[in-house]
Amino acid sequence: MTDGKIINIMKYSIHDGPGIRTAVFFKGCPLNCLWCHNPESQKYDQELFYWPDRCIGCGRCLESCSRDAIGLTSGKLEYKRAQCKVCGDCCKVCHAGARELVAKTMSVGQVMAEIEKDLVFYDESGGGATFSGGEALMQPTFLTELLQDCQKKEINTAVETCGYVKPEILQTISPYVNLFLYDLKLMDSQRHQYYTGVPNELILDNLRWLAEHHPKVLVRVPIIPGCNDDKENLHQLGEFVASLKRVQELHLLPYHRAGVDKYKRLGLEYQLPDIQAPESEQMERIKGELEQYGLKVKIGG
């Protein structure tokens, strides 16, 4: 069996597909969205969360570190992230919970064991397993094995994807996926590259293919004030989604600031500090504009 890097397995999710679901979050993403609320999911390599306010100054981490990545300055412990090799030794001895590795290496069997614990909830609610991230398709072999195991056990599957993936990978997993949750950010490729780090031609082409060949694709759009909520982008978005063969439902996901503190824990600077969550009136206005294209539009996942 293949191993994969998993950030989190969230039980009883109701926002990642129909019914009650188990959401499995993969590490690694080809995009670098400036508003990303899961920055720990972007890099495939292991990372370390650090909460300096939790530190009680016991010094155990200092003793455990063999890379001199932890120092003592004016009686206070200092984390030198640039020297850290993310071995996790300091996390093992930190009883205050100030240090934590972001991801776990898990086997297909280990992940399936967690998913199967909630079979009764899937049966009663019409739920199942959702594979998200980061970008689950960045670990294609691991994802494929999980999807195949779910299919053997008659567990409904959903895959959330940004769509920036080789077409052959997407097409290979398609038969094992009951529902695709397909994220669209911006329609103009240059703007898309500015805000996410990559152009969008591949993303749009992959969505066109899915709309032609897969029975159930749901498009989800994060609404980021000042980035993609302008009339031009909404007009292009509405026309594009309406032109897709089987995709007639669109979910709008309001921006939130829940992940901002994670950047500090990773030693990163958040690039959009002044953006606030959109007002409900603004979301209703956007919903109304997109409904004019004949689309079924919902606010929220």
Side-chain angles (χ1 to χ4, degrees), residues 111-123:
V111 175
M112 287 302 301
E114 292 300 314
I115 291 172
E116 290 180 67
K117 288 178 182 178
D118 298 323
L119 282 172
V120 63
F121 299 108
Y122 311 150
D123 294 339

Side-chain angles (χ1 to χ4, degrees), residues 9-265:
I9 298 179
M10 185 169 65
K11 303 298 188 77
Y12 315 118
S13 172
I14 57 172
H15 300 294
D16 298 294
I20 297 173
R21 309 190 71 83
T22 298
V24 182
F25 294 89
F26 286 51
K27 193 160 180 24
C29 183
L31 271 59
N32 184 24
C33 300
L34 296 186
W35 56 77
C36 181
H37 63 274
N38 287 320
E40 75 279 16
S41 72
Q42 292 181 2
K43 293 180 180 179
Y44 178 74
D45 294 336
Q46 181 66 281
E47 294 176 279
L48 189 147
F49 272 142
Y50 175 50
W51 290 264
D53 55 314
R54 293 183 184 178
C55 179
I56 58 175
C58 68
R60 290 179 178 175
C61 59
L62 180 64
E63 296 169 1
S64 71
C65 183
S66 61
R67 304 292 305 189
D68 293 324
I70 302 171
L72 195 63
T73 304
S74 301
K76 290 186 178 182
L77 291 169
E78 178 188 9
Y79 178 31
K80 305 171 186 177
R81 193 177 288 271
Q83 294 175 222
C84 180
K85 295 300 180 182
V86 201
C87 64
D89 287 347
C90 61
C91 301
K92 295 174 184 176
V93 300
C94 182
H95 300 303
R99 300 170 180 276
E100 178 183 327
L101 291 177
V102 166
K104 294 180 180 179
T105 298
M106 300 183 71
S107 69
V108 170
Q110 288 174 316
V111 175
M112 287 302 301
E114 292 300 314
I115 291 172
E116 290 180 67
K117 288 178 182 178
D118 298 323
L119 282 172
V120 63
F121 299 108
Y122 311 150
D123 294 339
E124 292 178 356
S125 70
T130 297
F131 301 100
S132 185
E135 173 55 63
L137 286 160
M138 279 194 69
Q139 302 183 50
T141 303
F142 186 57
L143 174 62
T144 301
E145 291 183 17
L146 285 167
L147 290 168
Q148 290 173 335
D149 272 15
C150 284
Q151 188 178 70
K152 291 174 185 175
K153 295 175 171 62
E154 298 184 347
I155 298 171
N156 180 278
T157 58
V159 170
E160 181 183 5
T161 180
C162 70
Y164 195 78
V165 59
K166 291 179 179 179
E168 54 267 30
I169 293 176
L170 188 71
Q171 294 168 21
T172 296
I173 71 159
S174 179
Y176 310 112
V177 181
N178 295 111
L179 169 67
F180 277 98
L181 303 171
Y182 204 100
D183 295 343
L184 283 184
K185 278 81 172 177
L186 286 140
M187 296 305 298
D188 180 81
S189 189
Q190 288 186 336
R191 289 177 65 192
H192 194 280
Q193 180 145 15
Y194 174 80
Y195 282 110
T196 73
V198 302
N200 70 357
E201 287 84 1
L202 177 61
I203 293 169
L204 300 182
D205 286 345
N206 279 333
L207 181 52
R208 289 188 187 99
W209 184 90
L210 276 180
E212 287 280 340
H213 297 91
H214 196 277
K216 197 162 185 182
V217 182
L218 194 154
V219 174
R220 308 208 299 182
V221 182
I223 299 299
I224 317 298
C227 299
N228 70 345
D229 60 341
D230 55 280
K231 286 187 176 294
E232 181 181 3
N233 185 62
L234 295 176
H235 169 67
Q236 293 174 351
L237 175 70
E239 282 195 332
F240 177 75
V241 177
S243 73
L244 299 173
K245 197 168 188 178
R246 292 189 178 96
V247 180
Q248 294 299 314
E249 188 168 352
L250 188 64
H251 287 189
L252 305 177
L253 309 179
Y255 167 80
H256 60 77
R257 296 180 58 82
V260 174
D261 285 345
K262 293 182 180 181
Y263 287 81
K264 296 177 183 177
R265 298 177 209 162

